[in-house]
Coordinates of all heavy atoms in Angstrom, one line a residue:
M175 N -33.7 16.4 -56.2 CA -34.0 16.5 -54.9 C -34.8 17.7 -54.5 O -34.4 18.9 -55.3 CB -32.8 16.2 -54.0 CG -33.2 15.7 -52.8 SD -31.7 15.1 -52.0 CE -32.3 15.2 -50.4
K176 N -35.7 17.8 -53.6 CA -36.4 18.9 -53.2 C -35.6 20.0 -52.3 O -34.8 19.4 -51.5 CB -37.8 18.7 -52.5 CG -38.6 18.0 -53.4 CD -40.0 17.6 -52.5 CE -40.9 16.9 -53.4 NZ -42.1 16.7 -52.8
S177 N -35.8 21.1 -52.5 CA -35.1 22.1 -51.5 C -35.7 22.0 -50.3 O -37.0 21.6 -50.1 CB -35.0 23.6 -52.1 OG -36.4 24.0 -52.1
P178 N -35.0 22.4 -49.2 CA -35.6 22.4 -47.9 C -36.9 23.3 -47.7 O -37.9 23.0 -47.1 CB -34.6 22.9 -46.9 CG -33.3 22.8 -47.6 CD -33.7 22.9 -49.1
D179 N -37.1 24.4 -48.6 CA -38.2 25.3 -48.5 C -39.4 24.5 -49.0 O -40.4 24.5 -48.5 CB -38.0 26.5 -49.3 CG -38.9 27.5 -49.0 OD1 -39.3 27.7 -47.9 OD2 -39.3 28.4 -49.9
E180 N -39.1 23.8 -50.3 CA -40.3 23.1 -50.8 C -40.8 21.9 -49.9 O -42.0 21.6 -49.9 CB -39.9 22.5 -52.2 CG -39.7 23.4 -53.3 CD -39.2 22.9 -54.5 OE1 -38.7 21.7 -54.4 OE2 -39.2 23.6 -55.5
H181 N -39.8 21.2 -49.3 CA -40.1 20.1 -48.4 C -41.0 20.7 -47.2 O -42.0 20.1 -46.8 CB -38.7 19.5 -47.8 CG -39.0 18.5 -46.9 ND1 -39.5 17.2 -47.4 CD2 -38.7 18.2 -45.5 CE1 -39.6 16.4 -46.3 NE2 -39.1 17.0 -45.3
N182 N -40.6 21.8 -46.7 CA -41.3 22.4 -45.5 C -42.8 22.7 -45.9 O -43.7 22.5 -45.2 CB -40.6 23.6 -44.9 CG -39.5 23.2 -44.1 OD1 -39.3 22.1 -43.8 ND2 -38.5 24.2 -44.0
Q183 N -42.9 23.3 -47.2 CA -44.2 23.6 -47.7 C -45.2 22.4 -47.9 O -46.3 22.5 -47.7 CB -44.0 24.5 -49.0 CG -43.6 25.8 -48.9 CD -43.6 26.6 -50.1 OE1 -43.7 26.0 -51.2 NE2 -43.2 27.9 -50.0
N184 N -44.4 21.4 -48.4 CA -45.1 20.1 -48.6 C -45.7 19.5 -47.2 O -46.9 19.1 -47.2 CB -44.2 19.2 -49.3 CG -44.9 17.9 -49.7 OD1 -46.2 17.8 -49.8 ND2 -44.1 16.8 -49.9
I185 N -44.8 19.6 -46.2 CA -45.2 19.0 -44.9 C -46.3 20.0 -44.4 O -47.3 19.4 -43.8 CB -44.0 18.9 -43.9 CG1 -43.1 17.8 -44.5 CG2 -44.4 18.8 -42.6 CD1 -41.9 17.7 -43.6
Q186 N -46.2 21.2 -44.5 CA -47.2 22.1 -43.9 C -48.6 21.8 -44.7 O -49.6 21.9 -44.0 CB -46.7 23.6 -44.1 CG -47.7 24.6 -43.5 CD -47.1 26.0 -43.7 OE1 -46.0 26.2 -44.1 NE2 -47.9 27.0 -43.0
S187 N -48.5 21.7 -45.9 CA -49.8 21.5 -46.6 C -50.5 20.2 -46.1 O -51.7 20.0 -46.1 CB -49.7 21.4 -48.1 OG -48.7 20.4 -48.5
Q188 N -49.6 19.0 -45.9 CA -50.1 17.8 -45.4 C -50.7 18.0 -44.0 O -51.8 17.4 -43.7 CB -49.1 16.8 -45.4 CG -48.6 16.2 -46.8 CD -47.5 15.4 -46.8 OE1 -46.9 15.1 -45.6 NE2 -47.1 14.8 -48.0
V189 N -50.0 18.7 -43.3 CA -50.6 18.9 -41.8 C -51.9 19.8 -41.9 O -52.8 19.4 -41.2 CB -49.5 19.7 -41.0 CG1 -50.1 20.2 -39.8 CG2 -48.4 18.8 -40.7
E190 N -51.9 20.8 -42.7 CA -53.2 21.6 -42.9 C -54.4 20.6 -43.3 O -55.6 20.8 -42.8 CB -53.0 22.8 -43.7 CG -52.1 23.8 -43.0 CD -51.9 25.0 -44.0 OE1 -52.2 24.9 -45.2 OE2 -51.2 26.0 -43.6
K191 N -54.0 19.8 -44.2 CA -55.1 18.9 -44.9 C -55.5 18.0 -43.7 O -56.8 17.7 -43.7 CB -54.4 18.1 -46.0 CG -55.4 17.1 -46.7 CD -54.7 16.5 -47.7 CE -55.6 15.3 -48.3 NZ -55.0 14.5 -49.3
R192 N -54.6 17.4 -43.0 CA -55.1 16.5 -41.9 C -55.8 17.2 -40.8 O -56.8 16.7 -40.3 CB -53.7 15.8 -41.3 CG -54.0 14.9 -40.2 CD -54.7 13.6 -40.7 NE -55.1 12.8 -39.5 CZ -56.3 12.3 -39.4 NH1 -57.3 12.5 -40.2 NH2 -56.5 11.5 -38.4
L193 N -55.4 18.5 -40.4 CA -56.2 19.3 -39.5 C -57.7 19.5 -40.0 O -58.5 19.4 -39.1 CB -55.5 20.4 -39.1 CG -54.2 20.5 -38.3 CD1 -53.6 21.7 -38.1 CD2 -54.5 19.9 -36.9
R194 N -57.7 19.8 -41.3 CA -59.0 20.0 -41.8 C -59.8 18.6 -41.8 O -61.1 18.9 -41.5 CB -59.1 20.5 -43.4 CG -58.7 22.0 -43.4 CD -59.0 22.5 -44.8 NE -58.1 21.8 -45.8 CZ -56.8 22.2 -46.2 NH1 -56.5 23.4 -45.4 NH2 -56.0 21.6 -47.1
E195 N -59.3 17.7 -42.0 CA -60.0 16.3 -42.0 C -60.4 16.0 -40.5 O -61.6 15.6 -40.3 CB -59.1 15.2 -42.5 CG -58.9 15.1 -43.8 CD -57.8 14.1 -44.4 OE1 -57.3 13.3 -43.5 OE2 -57.5 13.9 -45.5
M196 N -59.7 16.2 -39.6 CA -60.0 16.0 -38.1 C -61.0 17.0 -37.7 O -62.0 16.6 -36.9 CB -58.7 16.3 -37.2 CG -57.7 15.1 -37.5 SD -56.1 15.5 -36.6 CE -56.6 15.7 -34.9
D197 N -61.0 18.3 -38.2 CA -62.1 19.1 -37.9 C -63.3 18.7 -38.4 O -64.4 18.8 -37.8 CB -61.7 20.6 -38.4 CG -62.6 21.7 -37.9 OD1 -63.0 21.6 -36.8 OD2 -63.0 22.6 -38.7
D198 N -63.3 18.3 -39.6 CA -64.6 17.7 -40.4 C -65.2 16.7 -39.5 O -66.4 16.3 -39.4 CB -64.5 17.3 -41.8 CG -64.2 18.5 -42.6 OD1 -64.4 19.6 -42.2 OD2 -63.6 18.4 -43.7
Q199 N -64.3 15.8 -39.0 CA -64.7 14.6 -38.2 C -65.5 14.9 -36.8 O -66.4 14.4 -36.5 CB -63.5 13.5 -37.9 CG -63.2 12.9 -39.1 CD -61.9 11.9 -38.7 OE1 -61.4 12.1 -37.7 NE2 -61.5 11.0 -39.6
I200 N -64.7 16.0 -36.2 CA -65.3 16.4 -35.0 C -66.6 17.2 -35.2 O -67.6 17.0 -34.5 CB -64.2 17.3 -34.2 CG1 -63.0 16.4 -33.9 CG2 -64.9 18.0 -33.1 CD1 -61.8 17.4 -33.4
H201 N -66.6 18.1 -36.1 CA -67.8 19.1 -36.4 C -68.6 18.5 -37.5 O -69.2 19.4 -38.2 CB -67.4 20.4 -36.5 CG -66.7 21.0 -35.3 ND1 -65.3 21.0 -35.2 CD2 -67.0 21.3 -34.0 CE1 -64.9 21.6 -34.0 NE2 -66.0 21.8 -33.4
G202 N -68.5 17.4 -37.8 CA -69.2 16.8 -39.1 C -70.7 16.9 -39.0 O -71.4 16.8 -38.0
I203 N -71.3 16.8 -40.2 CA -72.7 16.8 -40.3 C -73.3 15.4 -40.1 O -74.4 15.3 -39.6 CB -73.2 17.3 -41.7 CG1 -72.6 18.7 -42.0 CG2 -74.6 17.2 -42.0 CD1 -72.7 19.1 -43.5
D204 N -72.5 14.5 -40.2 CA -72.9 13.0 -40.0 C -73.0 12.6 -38.5 O -73.1 11.4 -38.2 CB -72.0 12.1 -40.7 CG -72.0 12.4 -42.2 OD1 -73.1 13.0 -42.7 OD2 -71.1 12.1 -42.9
A205 N -72.8 13.6 -37.7 CA -72.8 13.2 -36.2 C -74.2 12.7 -35.9 O -75.3 13.3 -36.2 CB -72.4 14.4 -35.4
P206 N -74.3 11.5 -35.2 CA -75.7 11.1 -34.8 C -76.3 12.1 -33.8 O -75.7 12.5 -32.9 CB -75.2 9.7 -34.1 CG -73.9 9.8 -33.7 CD -73.2 10.9 -34.7
F207 N -77.7 12.1 -34.1 CA -78.4 12.9 -33.2 C -79.5 12.0 -32.5 O -80.2 11.3 -33.1 CB -79.3 14.0 -34.0 CG -80.1 14.7 -33.3 CD1 -79.6 15.8 -32.4 CD2 -81.5 14.6 -33.3 CE1 -80.6 16.5 -31.6 CE2 -82.4 15.4 -32.5 CZ -81.9 16.4 -31.7
Y208 N -79.5 12.0 -31.1 CA -80.3 11.2 -30.3 C -81.3 12.0 -29.7 O -81.0 13.1 -29.0 CB -79.5 10.5 -29.2 CG -78.5 9.5 -29.9 CD1 -77.3 9.9 -29.9 CD2 -78.8 8.3 -30.5 CE1 -76.3 9.0 -30.4 CE2 -77.9 7.5 -31.1 CZ -76.6 7.8 -31.1 OH -75.7 7.0 -31.7
Q209 N -82.5 11.7 -30.0 CA -83.7 12.7 -29.3 C -83.8 12.0 -27.8 O -83.9 10.9 -27.6 CB -85.0 12.3 -30.1 CG -86.1 13.1 -29.6 CD -86.1 14.6 -29.8 OE1 -85.5 15.0 -30.7 NE2 -86.5 15.3 -28.8
T210 N -83.8 13.0 -27.0 CA -83.9 12.6 -25.6 C -85.5 12.4 -25.2 O -86.2 13.1 -25.8 CB -83.3 13.6 -24.6 OG1 -83.9 14.8 -24.8 CG2 -81.8 13.7 -24.8
Q211 N -85.7 11.6 -24.3 CA -87.0 11.3 -23.8 C -87.1 11.3 -22.4 O -86.1 10.8 -21.7 CB -87.5 9.9 -24.3 CG -87.7 9.9 -25.8 CD -88.1 8.5 -26.4 OE1 -88.2 7.5 -25.6 NE2 -88.3 8.4 -27.6
K212 N -88.1 11.7 -21.7 CA -88.3 11.8 -20.3 C -88.7 10.3 -19.8 O -89.4 9.6 -20.6 CB -89.5 12.7 -19.9 CG -89.7 12.7 -18.3 CD -90.7 13.7 -18.0 CE -91.0 13.8 -16.6 NZ -92.1 14.8 -16.2
H213 N -88.0 9.9 -18.9 CA -88.1 8.5 -18.2 C -89.7 8.4 -17.8 O -90.2 9.0 -16.9 CB -87.3 8.2 -17.2 CG -87.5 6.9 -16.5 ND1 -87.2 5.8 -17.1 CD2 -88.0 6.6 -15.3 CE1 -87.6 4.6 -16.3 NE2 -88.1 5.2 -15.3
Q214 N -90.3 7.3 -18.3 CA -91.7 7.1 -17.8 C -91.6 5.7 -17.2 O -91.2 4.8 -17.7 CB -92.5 6.9 -19.2 CG -92.5 8.1 -20.1 CD -93.4 9.1 -19.4 OE1 -94.2 8.9 -18.6 NE2 -93.1 10.5 -19.7
P215 N -92.0 5.7 -15.9 CA -92.1 4.5 -15.1 C -93.0 3.4 -15.7 O -94.0 3.9 -16.5 CB -92.5 4.9 -13.7 CG -93.3 6.2 -14.1 CD -92.7 6.9 -15.2
E216 N -92.7 2.3 -15.5 CA -93.5 1.2 -16.1 C -94.9 1.3 -15.4 O -95.2 1.4 -14.1 CB -92.9 -0.2 -15.8 CG -91.7 -0.5 -16.6 CD -91.1 -1.8 -16.3 OE1 -91.9 -2.6 -15.9 OE2 -89.9 -2.1 -16.5
Q217 N -96.0 1.0 -16.3 CA -97.2 1.0 -15.7 C -97.8 -0.4 -15.6 O -99.0 -0.7 -15.6 CB -98.2 1.7 -16.8 CG -97.9 3.1 -17.1 CD -98.0 4.1 -15.8 OE1 -99.0 3.8 -15.1 NE2 -97.3 5.1 -15.7
S218 N -96.8 -1.4 -15.3 CA -97.2 -2.7 -15.0 C -98.0 -2.8 -13.7 O -98.8 -3.8 -13.6 CB -95.9 -3.6 -15.2 OG -95.1 -3.2 -14.0
Q219 N -97.7 -2.0 -12.8 CA -98.4 -2.2 -11.5 C -99.8 -1.5 -11.6 O -100.0 -0.6 -12.1 CB -97.6 -1.5 -10.4 CG -96.4 -2.1 -9.9 CD -95.8 -1.3 -8.7 OE1 -96.1 -0.2 -8.5 NE2 -94.9 -2.0 -7.9
K220 N -100.7 -2.2 -11.0 CA -102.1 -1.9 -11.1 C -102.2 -0.7 -10.0 O -101.5 -0.8 -9.1 CB -103.0 -2.9 -10.8 CG -102.8 -4.0 -11.9 CD -103.7 -5.3 -11.6 CE -103.6 -6.3 -12.6 NZ -102.3 -6.8 -12.8
P221 N -103.2 0.2 -10.2 CA -103.3 1.4 -9.3 C -103.7 0.9 -8.0 O -103.2 1.4 -6.9 CB -104.5 2.2 -9.9 CG -104.6 1.8 -11.4 CD -104.1 0.3 -11.4
W222 N -104.5 -0.1 -7.7 CA -104.8 -0.7 -6.5 C -103.6 -1.3 -5.7 O -103.5 -1.2 -4.5 CB -106.0 -1.6 -6.5 CG -105.7 -2.9 -7.2 CD1 -105.9 -3.1 -8.7 CD2 -105.0 -4.0 -6.9 NE1 -105.5 -4.3 -9.0 CE2 -104.9 -5.0 -7.8 CE3 -104.7 -4.6 -5.6 CZ2 -104.4 -6.2 -7.7 CZ3 -104.1 -5.7 -5.5 CH2 -104.0 -6.6 -6.5
L223 N -102.7 -1.8 -6.5 CA -101.4 -2.4 -5.8 C -100.6 -1.3 -5.2 O -100.1 -1.5 -4.2 CB -100.8 -3.3 -6.9 CG -99.5 -4.0 -6.3 CD1 -99.8 -5.0 -5.3 CD2 -98.9 -4.7 -7.6
R224 N -100.5 -0.2 -5.9 CA -99.7 1.0 -5.5 C -100.3 1.4 -4.1 O -99.7 1.8 -3.2 CB -99.6 2.0 -6.5 CG -98.6 1.7 -7.5 CD -98.2 2.9 -8.4 NE -99.3 2.9 -9.5 CZ -99.5 3.9 -10.2 NH1 -98.8 4.9 -10.2 NH2 -100.3 3.8 -11.2
K225 N -101.8 1.5 -4.2 CA -102.3 2.0 -2.9 C -102.2 1.0 -1.8 O -102.0 1.4 -0.7 CB -103.9 2.2 -3.2 CG -104.2 3.4 -4.1 CD -105.6 3.5 -4.5 CE -105.8 4.7 -5.3 NZ -107.3 4.9 -5.7
V226 N -102.2 -0.4 -2.1 CA -102.0 -1.3 -1.0 C -100.6 -1.1 -0.5 O -100.3 -1.2 0.7 CB -102.2 -2.7 -1.5 CG1 -101.7 -3.7 -0.5 CG2 -103.7 -3.0 -1.8
I227 N -99.6 -0.9 -1.4 CA -98.1 -0.8 -0.9 C -98.0 0.4 0.0 O -97.5 0.4 1.1 CB -97.2 -0.7 -2.1 CG1 -97.2 -2.2 -2.8 CG2 -96.0 -0.3 -1.8 CD1 -96.4 -2.2 -4.1
L228 N -98.7 1.6 -0.6 CA -98.7 2.8 0.3 C -99.3 2.7 1.7 O -98.8 3.0 2.7 CB -99.2 3.9 -0.5 CG -99.3 5.3 0.1 CD1 -97.8 5.8 0.3 CD2 -100.0 6.4 -0.7
G229 N -100.4 1.9 1.6 CA -101.1 1.7 2.9 C -100.3 0.8 3.8 O -100.3 1.0 5.0
G230 N -99.6 -0.2 3.3 CA -98.8 -1.1 4.2 C -97.6 -0.1 4.8 O -97.3 -0.4 5.9
K231 N -97.0 0.8 3.9 CA -96.0 1.6 4.6 C -96.6 2.5 5.6 O -95.9 2.6 6.6 CB -95.4 2.4 3.3 CG -94.5 1.7 2.4 CD -94.0 2.6 1.3 CE -93.2 2.0 0.3 NZ -92.7 2.9 -0.7
L232 N -97.7 3.0 5.4 CA -98.2 4.0 6.4 C -98.5 3.0 7.7 O -98.3 3.6 8.8 CB -99.5 4.5 5.8 CG -100.3 5.5 6.8 CD1 -99.3 6.7 7.2 CD2 -101.6 6.0 6.2
F233 N -99.1 1.8 7.5 CA -99.4 1.0 8.7 C -98.1 0.6 9.5 O -98.1 0.8 10.7 CB -100.0 -0.2 8.3 CG -100.4 -1.2 9.4 CD1 -101.4 -0.9 10.2 CD2 -99.6 -2.4 9.5 CE1 -101.7 -1.8 11.3 CE2 -99.9 -3.3 10.6 CZ -101.0 -3.0 11.4
G234 N -97.1 0.3 8.7 CA -95.8 0.0 9.3 C -95.2 1.2 10.2 O -94.7 1.0 11.1
L235 N -95.3 2.4 9.5 CA -94.9 3.6 10.2 C -95.6 3.8 11.5 O -95.1 4.2 12.5 CB -95.0 4.8 9.3 CG -94.4 6.1 9.7 CD1 -92.9 6.0 9.9 CD2 -94.8 7.3 8.8
A236 N -96.9 3.6 11.4 CA -97.8 3.7 12.7 C -97.4 2.7 13.7 O -97.2 3.2 15.0 CB -99.2 3.7 12.2
V237 N -97.3 1.5 13.4 CA -96.8 0.5 14.3 C -95.4 0.8 14.9 O -95.3 0.8 16.1 CB -96.8 -0.9 13.7 CG1 -96.1 -1.9 14.6 CG2 -98.1 -1.3 13.3
A238 N -94.5 1.4 14.1 CA -93.2 1.7 14.6 C -93.2 2.8 15.5 O -92.6 2.9 16.5 CB -92.2 1.9 13.3
T239 N -94.1 3.9 15.2 CA -94.3 4.9 16.1 C -94.8 4.6 17.5 O -94.4 5.0 18.5 CB -95.2 6.0 15.4 OG1 -94.6 6.5 14.2 CG2 -95.4 7.2 16.3
I240 N -95.9 3.7 17.5 CA -96.6 3.2 18.6 C -95.5 2.4 19.5 O -95.4 2.7 20.7 CB -97.7 2.3 18.4 CG1 -98.9 3.2 17.7 CG2 -98.2 1.6 19.6 CD1 -100.0 2.6 17.3
I241 N -94.7 1.6 18.8 CA -93.7 0.9 19.7 C -92.7 1.8 20.3 O -92.3 1.6 21.4 CB -93.1 -0.1 18.7 CG1 -94.1 -1.3 18.4 CG2 -91.9 -0.7 19.4 CD1 -93.6 -2.2 17.4
A242 N -92.2 2.9 19.4 CA -91.2 3.8 19.9 C -91.7 4.7 21.1 O -91.1 4.9 22.1 CB -90.8 4.8 18.8
V243 N -93.0 4.9 21.1 CA -93.7 5.7 22.2 C -93.7 4.9 23.4 O -93.4 5.3 24.5 CB -95.0 6.3 21.8 CG1 -95.7 6.8 23.0 CG2 -95.0 7.4 20.7
K244 N -94.0 3.6 23.3 CA -94.2 2.6 24.4 C -92.8 2.5 25.0 O -92.7 2.4 26.3 CB -94.8 1.4 24.0 CG -96.4 1.5 23.8 CD -97.0 0.1 23.7 CE -98.4 0.3 23.4 NZ -99.3 0.0 24.6
V245 N -91.8 2.3 24.4 CA -90.5 2.1 24.8 C -90.0 3.3 25.6 O -89.4 3.2 26.6 CB -89.5 1.6 23.6 CG1 -88.0 1.7 24.1 CG2 -89.8 0.2 23.1
A246 N -90.2 4.5 24.9 CA -89.8 5.7 25.5 C -90.5 6.0 26.8 O -89.8 6.4 27.9 CB -90.0 6.9 24.5
S247 N -91.8 5.6 26.9 CA -92.5 5.8 28.0 C -92.0 4.8 29.1 O -91.9 5.2 30.4 CB -94.0 5.6 27.8 OG -94.6 4.7 28.7
A248 N -91.7 3.6 28.8 CA -91.2 2.7 29.7 C -90.0 3.0 30.4 O -89.6 3.0 31.5 CB -91.1 1.3 29.2
L249 N -89.0 3.6 29.4 CA -87.7 4.2 29.9 C -87.8 5.4 30.8 O -87.2 5.4 31.8 CB -86.8 4.5 28.7 CG -86.3 3.2 27.9 CD1 -85.5 3.7 26.7 CD2 -85.2 2.4 28.8
A250 N -88.7 6.3 30.4 CA -89.0 7.4 31.2 C -89.5 7.0 32.7 O -89.2 7.6 33.6 CB -89.9 8.3 30.5
G251 N -90.4 6.0 32.7 CA -90.8 5.5 33.9 C -89.7 4.9 34.8 O -89.7 5.1 36.0
I252 N -88.8 4.1 34.2 CA -87.7 3.5 34.9 C -86.9 4.7 35.6 O -86.4 4.7 36.7 CB -86.9 2.6 34.0 CG1 -87.7 1.3 33.8 CG2 -85.6 2.3 34.6 CD1 -87.1 0.5 32.8
V253 N -86.6 5.8 34.6 CA -85.7 6.8 35.2 C -86.4 7.7 36.3 O -85.9 8.0 37.2 CB -85.4 7.7 33.9 CG1 -84.8 9.1 34.4 CG2 -84.5 7.1 33.0
I254 N -87.8 7.9 36.2 CA -88.5 8.6 37.2 C -88.5 7.8 38.4 O -88.2 8.3 39.6 CB -89.9 8.9 36.7 CG1 -89.8 10.1 35.6 CG2 -90.7 9.4 37.9 CD1 -91.1 10.3 35.0
F255 N -88.7 6.5 38.3 CA -88.7 5.6 39.6 C -87.4 5.6 40.3 O -87.2 5.7 41.5 CB -89.1 4.2 39.2 CG -89.2 3.3 40.4 CD1 -90.2 3.3 41.3 CD2 -88.2 2.4 40.6 CE1 -90.2 2.5 42.5 CE2 -88.1 1.5 41.7 CZ -89.3 1.6 42.6
G256 N -86.2 5.5 39.4 CA -85.0 5.5 39.9 C -84.6 6.8 40.6 O -84.0 6.8 41.7
A257 N -85.1 7.8 40.0 CA -84.8 9.3 40.7 C -85.6 9.4 42.0 O -85.0 10.0 42.9 CB -85.2 10.4 39.7
L258 N -86.8 8.9 42.0 CA -87.6 9.0 43.2 C -87.0 8.0 44.3 O -86.8 8.5 45.5 CB -89.1 8.6 42.9 CG -90.0 9.7 42.3 CD1 -91.3 9.1 42.0 CD2 -90.0 10.9 43.2
A259 N -86.5 7.0 44.0 CA -85.9 6.1 44.9 C -84.6 6.7 45.5 O -84.4 6.5 46.7 CB -85.7 4.7 44.3
F260 N -83.9 7.3 44.6 CA -82.6 7.9 45.0 C -82.9 9.2 46.0 O -82.3 9.3 47.0 CB -81.8 8.4 43.9 CG -80.5 9.1 44.2 CD1 -79.4 8.4 44.7 CD2 -80.5 10.5 44.1 CE1 -78.3 9.0 45.0 CE2 -79.2 11.2 44.5 CZ -78.1 10.4 44.8
L261 N -84.0 9.8 45.7 CA -84.4 11.0 46.5 C -84.8 10.5 47.9 O -84.5 11.1 48.9 CB -85.5 11.7 45.8 CG -85.9 13.2 46.5 CD1 -84.7 14.1 46.3 CD2 -87.1 13.7 45.7
V262 N -85.6 9.4 48.0 CA -86.1 8.9 49.2 C -84.9 8.4 50.0 O -84.8 8.7 51.2 CB -87.2 7.8 49.0 CG1 -87.4 6.9 50.2 CG2 -88.5 8.4 48.4
Y263 N -84.0 7.7 49.5 CA -82.9 7.2 50.2 C -82.1 8.4 50.7 O -81.6 8.5 51.9 CB -81.9 6.4 49.2 CG -80.5 6.1 49.8 CD1 -80.5 5.1 50.6 CD2 -79.4 6.8 49.3 CE1 -79.2 4.8 51.1 CE2 -78.2 6.5 49.8 CZ -78.2 5.6 50.8 OH -76.9 5.2 51.4
K264 N -81.7 9.4 49.8 CA -81.0 10.6 50.4 C -81.7 11.4 51.5 O -81.1 11.8 52.5 CB -80.7 11.6 49.2 CG -79.7 11.1 48.3 CD -78.3 11.2 49.1 CE -77.2 11.1 48.1 NZ -75.9 11.3 48.8
L265 N -83.0 11.5 51.3 CA -83.8 12.3 52.4 C -84.1 11.5 53.7 O -83.9 12.1 54.8 CB -85.1 12.8 51.8 CG -85.0 13.8 50.7 CD1 -86.4 14.3 50.3 CD2 -84.4 15.1 51.3
F266 N -84.5 10.3 53.6 CA -84.9 9.6 54.8 C -84.0 8.5 55.2 O -83.8 8.4 56.5 CB -86.4 8.9 54.5 CG -87.4 10.0 54.1 CD1 -87.7 10.2 52.7 CD2 -87.8 10.9 55.0 CE1 -88.7 11.1 52.4 CE2 -88.7 11.9 54.7 CZ -89.2 12.0 53.4
L267 N -83.5 7.7 54.4 CA -82.8 6.5 54.8 C -81.3 6.8 55.1 O -80.7 6.1 56.1 CB -82.9 5.4 53.8 CG -84.3 4.9 53.5 CD1 -84.2 3.9 52.4 CD2 -84.9 4.4 54.7
E268 N -80.6 7.7 54.5 CA -79.2 7.8 54.6 C -78.9 8.4 56.0 O -78.0 8.0 56.7 CB -78.7 8.9 53.6 CG -77.2 9.0 53.6 CD -76.7 9.8 52.4 OE1 -77.3 10.9 52.3 OE2 -75.7 9.5 51.8
S269 N -79.8 9.4 56.5 CA -79.5 9.9 57.8 C -79.7 8.9 58.9 O -79.1 8.9 59.9 CB -80.4 11.1 58.0 OG -81.7 10.8 58.0
K270 N -80.8 8.0 58.7 CA -80.9 6.9 59.7 C -79.8 5.9 59.8 O -79.5 5.4 60.8 CB -82.3 6.2 59.4 CG -83.5 7.1 59.6 CD -84.7 6.2 59.5 CE -85.9 7.1 59.7 NZ -87.2 6.5 59.5
I271 N -79.2 5.5 58.6 CA -78.2 4.6 58.6 C -76.9 5.1 59.3 O -76.1 4.5 60.0 CB -77.9 4.3 57.1 CG1 -79.0 3.5 56.5 CG2 -76.6 3.5 57.0 CD1 -78.8 3.1 55.0
K272 N -76.6 6.5 58.9 CA -75.6 7.1 59.6 C -75.6 7.2 61.1 O -74.6 7.1 61.9 CB -75.2 8.5 59.0 CG -74.7 8.6 57.7 CD -74.3 9.8 57.1 CE -73.9 9.9 55.8 NZ -73.6 11.2 55.3
T273 N -76.9 7.6 61.6 CA -77.1 7.7 63.0 C -77.0 6.4 63.7 O -76.7 6.3 64.9 CB -78.4 8.4 63.3 OG1 -79.4 7.7 62.7 CG2 -78.4 9.8 62.9
S274 N -77.4 5.2 63.1 CA -77.4 4.0 63.7 C -76.0 3.4 64.0 O -75.9 2.5 64.8 CB -78.4 3.0 63.1 OG -77.8 2.8 61.7
K275 N -75.1 3.9 63.2 CA -73.7 3.3 63.3 C -73.1 3.8 64.4 O -72.8 4.5 65.2 CB -72.9 3.6 62.0 CG -73.3 2.7 60.9 CD -72.4 3.0 59.7 CE -72.9 2.1 58.5 NZ -72.2 2.3 57.4

């Protein structure tokens, strides 16, 4: 039978051997090397098609802007009309209604 000292040395050598194997696996020469490449978009779309899409987007943006300006202008007109009506009521009609009662 082996002495405890021999047994410990045997276990230590096995552990060191396993650690060297793991280190070789991690830092091994056989690690795969992948060359990176910049992503290239597909050239399947024709240049005129991209221009048509860009023009459509621009046209849609212009239409949306015109609609937004018209809606804002209508709302501003309603607010101004309401403010003027309230001002006329306060200045001219309110005093006549109070005096007639």
